[in-house]
Amino acid sequence: MSKRLHNQPKEQLKEVLFEERRQFIRDNAPSMELKVLARRFFEHFELKTKSTAFAALLRSLEDTGFEAQANEVKTSEFKDWMRGPVKEVKKDEKLSVPNVVKRQRTKLEVQAVVTGAHFIQQGMNRLVPEAESSVQAAARTEQLCYSAGEISDGEKNSRSASPSVAYLDRKASRTGPSNDEETKDLSSTLAGLTDDMKDTVEEPPSDIPDPTANLEHFATLGQEIEWNVMDTDILQVFREFRDENLGPFSVARDWIANLMYDSTFCQALEPALLSPVRRADPAPDIYERWPTLRAILDRVFVCDGYDDVANAIRSESMQDPIAAYLFVVIMAYFQYFQSSEKIPENINEREGFAGLTWAFMQTPLTMYGIQARYLDILITAVEARKNQDKDPLLETKETGQYADAVALYNDQQLFLAEAAQIHSPTLEKRHQDEYKLARAMRDTWISHIRSISRMRVPPRGLAIFGSVSFKDETKLLRMDFRGAFRLQQFDMFSIPLRKQGFGMKMRAAVVSCLELAARLDQETQRRNHVAPVLGFYEREPLADAVCRITKTSSTPTKVAKTPKKK
């Protein structure tokens, strides 16, 4: 995408991007061979995944009337050829000056944590300039190679193991022949340089299992193993994204597609795909389930201040469950607002979640007959995963992680909640909670599949729910499986922290929490209408399929942060 697109308003980004692509095709398609056009198209718009690049090129050709070229793009031969140019765009980015220097700097900082602050002072001053000078040398070499003649096929094959050499060879091969003999003296310099740069190109860790090798066991368990949206294979897009994002604290390692609105995977999707990919199934109609809901909300929230809302609720009949729910929320704030205009700054994490956020969430669960517990509840699925491969006679049992709240279905945890402080939490805590919750939801999903498959085929689209609270904001999440574990954000609400503007936030939070409870109730109803009980031998394929699910990886050890320079 060109840099000028970033200055456009968000609502115009999609159309501006498509029009720029179409204009590129109009300007270049009549005078270029298709493969040359495609290569320059991918480079110009920085398309780094095969599926995204294919969809963008095909649509641009069809929109501009180049039907013959569009038909050729659809052939399997062209699709196979596309792998090369797309990989070139990725390597060009990896071997760019800023990225190489960034990787050298990061590597150096990790080493500095181990060897001490003295190394930081000495090494950062010495090695980073060396990396920068090496990259500058590579740039000069590239300029010479760019004007050089074509390198022989034998030499290319012998040097193809080095990404940086291949990168320079590509640049050289795009120009015409030249008699410049100076490039013959670059072989030894280039070989030494690429040995240093080879370490900076990160390879996927060898101990991370590849869950994509075979997904048929999920089909045996009744789950969907394809994920297509608008004729795009999202599973292939995620597979390519995962290959590039295998860091120690990346949920993609565990085959979790994070679809929360601020996730890096969503940023890698085409703008046209964002909404349909992220959107969860619609919630049940809460106004049909609770006929008095709309009328009571309209009467209570005429005014926006806390005192006005409280007085309006007290005038409602407490025999109505909706009015009783609103009264519970109002009373949760009474002890704070009796002597102050806002929630105190020194409220701790437990008090903020249990006294305020959970006041919105617990009563709707009770209204739908769903049992809930809160404050330091052991996540049983995580404990089971940690002890899955242990010998109970020889090894000590490990304790699982704890959630701030859970909701239960037949004694199984269907909903997990994590929360940070309402005032001044650290950004690190937010990422820790989201990482912990995503993996715990995966463990819980597998636990439910294992439990149901002991007797019958699990229902298609089996889902687990969760929430993560940070400051006054709570994200509501859902995880299911469709070729990958999809972590979808289906709603978000903010709790009021001041008397002023109380009514608006309270009304929105009440509706969101009622819809959360309705989703959980809908899921429990689906569980009650699953397939009939199978015979013992009919259940054998299910047991084998469960054993083939790759368990969630161990939590990585946190590296000590680099100390600040004095």
Side-chain angles (χ1 to χ4, degrees):
M1 184 190 303
S2 65
K3 294 182 179 179
R4 69 183 181 85
L5 285 179
H6 293 286
N7 297 323
Q8 296 289 338
K10 288 185 177 180
E11 61 272 10
Q12 298 180 7
L13 177 61
K14 173 181 168 183
E15 185 55 37
V16 171
L17 174 62
F18 288 167
E19 180 55 34
E20 187 169 282
R21 289 175 179 173
R22 289 192 289 265
Q23 190 59 44
F24 183 93
I25 295 297
R26 294 189 195 100
D27 294 342
N28 296 282
S31 59
M32 286 186 185
E33 181 190 3
L34 179 59
K35 290 183 178 180
V36 176
L37 174 68
R39 186 188 298 274
R40 295 192 181 179
F41 184 84
F42 302 153
E43 290 176 352
H44 182 78
F45 294 103
E46 299 178 5
L47 299 170
K48 304 169 204 172
T49 60
K50 180 184 173 184
S51 54
T52 304
F54 172 79
L57 178 61
L58 180 61
R59 176 170 181 164
S60 300
L61 288 170
E62 290 177 342
D63 288 352
T64 51
F66 292 93
E67 296 295 337
Q69 291 91 327
N71 291 332
E72 185 176 349
V73 167
K74 296 177 185 178
T75 63
S76 57
E77 179 184 357
F78 187 87
K79 291 179 181 178
D80 293 339
W81 171 85
M82 278 182 58
R83 292 194 182 95
V86 172
K87 287 182 178 179
E88 288 180 11
V89 176
K90 288 183 181 179
K91 287 184 179 179
D92 286 354
E93 183 183 32
K94 273 193 171 184
L95 294 175
S96 64
V97 172
N99 284 340
V100 171
V101 173
K102 180 180 178 182
R103 287 193 292 270
Q104 287 282 11
R105 191 180 299 275
T106 302
K107 179 180 176 182
L108 202 58
E109 289 175 350
V110 173
Q111 293 172 350
V113 172
V114 178
T115 53
H118 176 72
F119 183 83
I120 298 177
Q121 187 66 33
Q122 301 295 325
M124 291 294 288
N125 293 335
R126 178 175 60 84
L127 293 182
V128 172
E130 288 181 7
E132 292 174 350
S133 62
S134 297
V135 175
Q136 291 172 0
R140 291 194 297 270
T141 303
E142 177 185 331
Q143 291 175 351
L144 291 172
C145 288
Y146 193 87
S147 60
E150 293 187 357
I151 301 175
S152 66
D153 292 338
E155 188 177 355
K156 283 183 180 179
N157 293 334
S158 66
R159 296 161 62 184
S160 60
S162 170
S164 51
V165 171
Y167 171 73
L168 296 176
D169 287 346
R170 287 199 314 274
K171 293 294 186 180
S173 65
R174 293 175 190 168
T175 62
S178 171
N179 295 325
D180 190 355
E181 298 294 332
E182 187 175 0
T183 56
K184 294 181 180 179
D185 299 328
L186 293 174
S187 300
S188 58
T189 303
L190 192 58
L193 175 63
T194 54
D195 286 339
D196 294 335
M197 294 180 67
K198 197 182 301 181
D199 294 334
T200 70
V201 181
E202 300 171 358
E203 297 295 334
S206 59
D207 60 337
I208 298 178
D210 181 10
T212 69
N214 191 336
L215 298 175
E216 292 301 324
H217 50 290
F218 284 101
T220 303
L221 293 166
Q223 307 307 303
E224 296 186 42
I225 59 175
E226 295 183 353
W227 185 10
N228 296 306
V229 175
M230 296 173 59
D231 297 326
T232 300
D233 186 353
I234 305 300
L235 198 57
Q236 177 61 27
V237 176
F238 176 65
R239 184 178 288 112
E240 295 171 357
F241 171 83
R242 179 182 181 270
D243 290 343
E244 300 292 329
N245 293 271
L246 290 173
F249 290 97
S250 169
V251 295
R253 287 165 60 107
D254 290 307
W255 203 233
I256 298 173
N258 185 356
L259 299 174
M260 287 191 283
Y261 279 52
D262 54 354
S263 73
T264 52
F265 176 54
C266 285
Q267 295 171 12
L269 292 172
E270 285 282 301
L273 294 173
L274 275 176
S275 181
V277 168
R278 289 188 302 206
R279 187 168 299 162
D281 295 336
D285 188 353
I286 58 175
Y287 296 99
E288 180 179 350
R289 176 67 182 270
W290 308 103
T292 61
L293 174 60
R294 194 183 304 277
I296 292 179
L297 293 180
D298 290 341
R299 287 196 300 268
V300 167
F301 296 105
V302 173
C303 299
D304 213 26
Y306 170 81
D307 294 329
D308 295 327
V309 172
N311 291 332
I313 291 175
R314 292 189 185 99
S315 65
E316 295 290 331
S317 171
M318 292 300 113
Q319 300 300 316
D320 191 299
I322 297 299
Y325 169 33
L326 299 181
F327 184 75
V328 168
V329 174
I330 283 292
M331 292 308 297
Y333 282 84
F334 180 73
Q335 60 175 319
Y336 301 110
F337 286 166
Q338 190 176 21
S339 58
S340 176
E341 293 291 319
K342 62 180 182 179
I343 300 299
E345 296 286 338
N346 60 352
I347 188 172
N348 62 40
E349 179 182 312
R350 280 169 162 260
E351 186 180 2
F353 176 74
L356 300 178
T357 305
W358 191 239
F360 283 94
M361 303 174 74
Q362 184 178 26
T363 302
L365 296 174
T366 304
M367 291 165 62
Y368 278 90
I370 299 172
Q371 183 184 356
R373 298 171 59 196
Y374 66 101
L375 295 182
D376 292 337
I377 307 301
L378 180 67
I379 305 175
T380 54
V382 175
E383 184 178 59
R385 183 254 299 172
K386 287 189 172 185
N387 295 282
Q388 180 175 329
D389 300 324
K390 290 184 179 295
D391 186 338
L393 300 179
L394 300 175
E395 298 177 272
T396 303
K397 179 181 178 181
E398 288 191 52
T399 303
Q401 297 170 327
Y402 290 82
D404 291 308
V406 301
L408 305 174
Y409 167 73
N410 289 348
D411 295 327
Q412 284 191 303
Q413 294 167 347
L414 182 63
F415 167 84
L416 308 173
E418 284 294 325
Q421 291 181 355
I422 288 178
H423 292 297
S424 305
T426 64
L427 188 60
E428 181 182 19
K429 170 67 173 170
R430 174 184 177 182
H431 290 290
Q432 286 176 346
D433 283 352
E434 290 182 355
Y435 177 74
K436 170 186 172 182
L437 181 65
R439 289 157 46 84
M441 290 175 69
R442 184 188 192 275
D443 286 334
T444 304
W445 188 93
I446 295 173
S447 175
H448 282 237
I449 283 284
R450 180 178 287 111
S451 176
I452 297 172
S453 63
R454 289 172 184 162
M455 300 299 293
R456 61 193 73 187
V457 177
R460 184 176 293 271
L462 185 84
I464 299 297
F465 297 85
S467 72
V468 58
S469 301
F470 184 78
K471 296 184 178 180
D472 63 334
E473 178 183 286
T474 297
K475 298 177 182 178
L476 302 179
L477 309 173
R478 177 184 184 273
M479 177 178 283
D480 64 2
F481 187 89
R482 186 171 290 182
F485 292 93
R486 303 189 305 172
L487 182 63
Q488 297 172 304
Q489 178 182 342
F490 60 84
D491 204 349
M492 183 273 292
F493 67 88
S494 297
I495 62 172
L497 299 181
R498 295 175 175 274
K499 281 188 172 183
Q500 183 179 4
F502 183 89
M504 179 182 65
K505 286 190 174 182
M506 178 180 171
R507 177 169 184 161
V510 162
V511 172
S512 294
C513 291
L514 283 169
E515 288 188 346
L516 167 65
R519 286 180 181 272
L520 267 64
D521 178 67
Q522 183 184 56
E523 182 67 18
T524 61
Q525 296 302 321
R526 293 177 62 249
R527 307 282 183 93
N528 294 332
H529 296 86
V530 294
V533 175
L534 301 175
F536 176 76
Y537 292 108
E538 294 174 316
R539 298 198 299 266
E540 280 187 343
L542 300 181
D544 294 338
V546 169
C547 292
R548 294 177 60 192
I549 299 177
T550 306
K551 74 173 187 178
T552 308
S553 60
S554 300
T555 305
T557 303
K558 185 178 177 182
V559 180
K561 292 184 178 180
T562 305
K564 294 182 179 179
K565 293 182 180 181
K566 294 183 179 179

